[in-house]
Amino acid sequence: MSVILSFAGAAGTVTGSKFVVEHAGSRTLVDAGLYQGERSWRRLNWEHTIGHPETVDDVVLTHTHLDHCGYLPALVRQGFHGPVWASAGTAGLLPIVLRDSAHLLEEEAAYAQAAGYSKHDPALPLYTASDVERVLDLVRPVPFATAQHTAGGATVTLHRAGHVLGSASVHVTTGGRSVLFSGDLGRPTHPLLLPREDPPAADVVVLESTYGDRLHPHSAGSDQHEPLAAAIRRTIGRGGSVLIPAFAVDRTELVLLALARLRAQGRIPAVPVHVDSPMALAALEVYQRPDLAPEMRPDAIAELLEMTDVHEARTADESRRLNTPGTPCIIVSASGMATGGRVVHHLASLLPRARNTVVLTGYQAVGTRGRSLQEGVRELKVLGQYVRVRAEVVVDDTFSVHADADELVSWLDRLPRPPQVVYLVHGEPASRDALAHRVREHLDCAVALPRLGERVVV
């Protein structure tokens, strides 16, 4: 009986990762991610793209970014009740990420109901906090490099991906065939984490292509993060404040580490730094857990913890006060693409004032507020209204922990043997096309760009 691979998400876009491996009636889902960005994609969150969730035997997670795990509570709501396999780091971060997501979805539905702009009455969230708690009861931690037999009869092994804490590439073997899912691959080195591992051999590789059409700037030493440092110096000099939208998991930690180093080098002034994200503060505690130390670089963690003058905005009142900070400061707040969370309120208040600056530190998906700012919009829709963008907008690309085109190809080079097929997913069309061209030239194998819903024989 054939092994079938289905692309239930992240095909033709960079979010919504969901892949189904089927054999002899068993179904293993690798990742259960939310669609983010453009409305045409977000609408798919309300459709059963994997078909009959109650028939899925297992879910295996690559990591805890919402576009890889954020659909899990909806899946459980639809009838899934099997185990969720994940690394210890992913299992530690998952409650923080999913509870925050449910809170935001419930808050957004309530706001839409009150403001009257929902197409549905009453406005309902995709899932609730109670759905999240049902997911957490199903999570089963798995050590790296340890074969795990799943409920559906497959064998799953996680390999360190070096992207965020707990991130893994997932190797699935069933029916005598093997599929390797890269997940989001990190760069060869990471400021806080141990580097990614070499991939194992597989018949088929499902490879992300987020940065398949570009190369990261390579800066180090005295000029590292200079776009951020220069923006801070300019902004503080004119009496403004700097807002840094940052993902709560990993990116906030990297931003704080960079700020600590820039301050120690005398490259930025010593102004207050506010972390306005309870989720990011909770994630930082997970990064400090002793049982997860084998994944971490102890020197970098120690350096991060030595940073002083960091203020934690945990309550809503503390967050609201940062909308009019009074004195120049740096605000680090989630979410990283400004799709939701407290950073949205700060944008509404700080964008209209030319003395302020917004620094974007990561990938901004098409359709997000971050992408709009990156592309130079003059007005931005925030909380149902448009605000003028008078603040300076700066991009610091050196924070990325996504492998670029060269680094994706170099990961494939480390395979013990070329696979029969490489499927490119989790990328916008231009990045997938560019990476496909490179992989075809580099490896003696087929390269395919799957369509959403496409099924192939492994």
Side-chain angles (χ1 to χ4, degrees):
M1 186 172 291
S2 298
V3 176
I4 304 298
L5 170 62
S6 301
F7 299 90
T13 186
V14 81
T15 63
S17 288
K18 303 180 193 72
F19 312 103
V20 184
V21 180
E22 302 176 67
H23 175 68
S26 70
R27 304 182 79 209
T28 297
L29 177 66
V30 177
D31 278 347
L34 276 182
Y35 281 102
Q36 298 169 297
E38 292 181 315
R39 180 172 296 187
S40 60
W41 290 112
R42 285 187 283 117
R43 285 174 178 160
L44 293 177
N45 289 327
W46 295 90
E47 298 183 13
H48 295 184
T49 59
I50 65 165
H52 302 290
E54 72 280 0
T55 67
V56 175
D57 296 287
D58 308 81
V59 175
V60 188
L61 295 181
T62 61
H63 66 290
T64 51
H65 281 152
L66 278 177
D67 55 340
H68 292 261
C69 74
Y71 191 73
L72 269 175
L75 196 70
V76 167
R77 196 171 194 173
Q78 295 160 16
F80 171 73
H81 55 272
V84 177
W85 308 101
S87 71
T90 295
L93 291 168
L94 197 62
I96 300 167
V97 173
L98 293 185
R99 285 169 179 159
D100 181 77
S101 177
H103 172 73
L104 292 177
L105 288 170
E106 291 176 328
E107 192 176 63
E108 182 181 350
Y111 187 88
Q113 181 70 23
Y117 66 76
S118 173
K119 293 182 179 179
H120 306 283
D121 188 15
L124 297 175
L126 181 64
Y127 52 80
T128 66
S130 62
D131 297 319
V132 170
E133 300 310 311
R134 292 166 62 197
V135 169
L136 300 180
D137 288 338
L138 303 175
V139 177
R140 305 289 183 267
V142 180
F144 285 112
T146 302
Q148 174 65 52
H149 299 293
T150 69
T155 300
V156 170
T157 308
L158 306 183
H159 299 269
R160 194 170 61 242
H163 174 58
V164 299
L165 181 65
S167 60
S169 297
V170 174
H171 188 266
V172 179
T173 301
T174 186
R177 303 291 288 170
S178 59
V179 186
L180 175 62
F181 298 87
S182 70
D184 281 0
L185 283 177
R187 307 188 67 185
T189 60
H190 188 288
L192 284 172
L193 306 178
L194 295 181
R196 68 194 192 190
E197 296 176 310
D198 288 345
D203 298 311
V204 166
V205 173
V206 179
L207 177 65
E208 65 119 328
S209 57
T210 309
Y211 282 99
D213 62 345
R214 71 201 80 176
L215 302 178
H216 294 313
H218 294 278
S219 64
S222 61
D223 67 341
Q224 191 169 31
H225 296 305
E226 183 55 27
L228 172 65
I232 291 173
R233 293 193 298 267
R234 287 194 303 272
T235 307
I236 302 306
R238 60 179 178 251
S241 292
V242 178
L243 175 62
I244 307 177
F247 298 110
V249 175
D250 198 74
R251 187 53 48 84
T252 293
E253 288 79 8
L254 295 187
V255 167
L256 291 176
L257 180 62
L259 293 174
R261 290 174 174 172
L262 292 174
R263 183 179 294 182
Q265 295 163 3
R267 293 168 58 196
I268 62 172
V271 297
V273 175
H274 300 270
V275 178
D276 185 18
S277 170
M279 180 182 170
L281 295 170
L284 184 58
E285 293 175 1
V286 176
Y287 270 67
Q288 298 170 36
R289 275 176 30 183
D291 61 309
L292 299 177
E295 287 194 51
M296 313 296 297
R297 292 178 49 188
D299 56 332
I301 287 292
E303 194 175 358
L304 179 63
L305 295 177
E306 288 173 0
M307 187 176 181
T308 59
D309 204 19
V310 174
H311 305 272
E312 301 178 354
R314 293 188 178 273
T315 69
D317 284 342
E318 290 170 332
S319 177
R320 278 191 287 270
R321 284 197 288 270
L322 294 177
N323 288 334
T324 52
T327 58
C329 65
I330 300 169
I331 304 167
V332 183
S333 186
S335 68
M337 298 183 195
T339 54
R342 293 181 174 183
V343 73
V344 176
H345 297 271
H346 299 323
L347 287 171
S349 296
L350 300 179
L351 280 177
R353 295 170 176 81
R355 65 176 180 269
N356 300 320
T357 298
V358 176
V359 180
L360 303 173
T361 62
Y363 183 82
Q364 307 296 320
V366 172
T368 64
R369 294 186 184 91
R371 183 63 165 259
S372 296
L373 289 172
Q374 180 179 317
E375 293 177 345
V377 296
R378 302 298 299 274
E379 289 85 23
L380 187 69
K381 192 174 184 180
V382 181
L383 300 175
Q385 296 179 328
Y386 283 92
V387 299
R388 282 294 305 274
V389 179
R390 298 187 181 93
E392 183 182 0
V393 177
V394 172
V395 178
D396 185 345
D397 289 325
T398 58
F399 276 101
S400 179
V401 290
H402 259 291
D404 66 14
D406 282 351
E407 293 158 350
L408 291 169
V409 173
S410 71
W411 183 80
L412 289 174
D413 271 341
R414 305 296 294 179
L415 286 163
R417 56 177 170 80
Q420 295 169 10
V421 187
V422 173
Y423 292 99
L424 298 183
V425 298
H426 208 274
E428 292 169 11
S431 64
R432 285 207 308 173
D433 292 344
L435 186 60
H437 178 72
R438 289 199 56 175
V439 175
R440 287 189 186 103
E441 288 191 335
H442 201 76
L443 290 183
D444 184 20
C445 68
V447 180
L449 309 180
R451 302 181 307 274
L452 181 63
E454 186 171 357
R455 293 162 55 85
V456 298
V457 175
V458 175

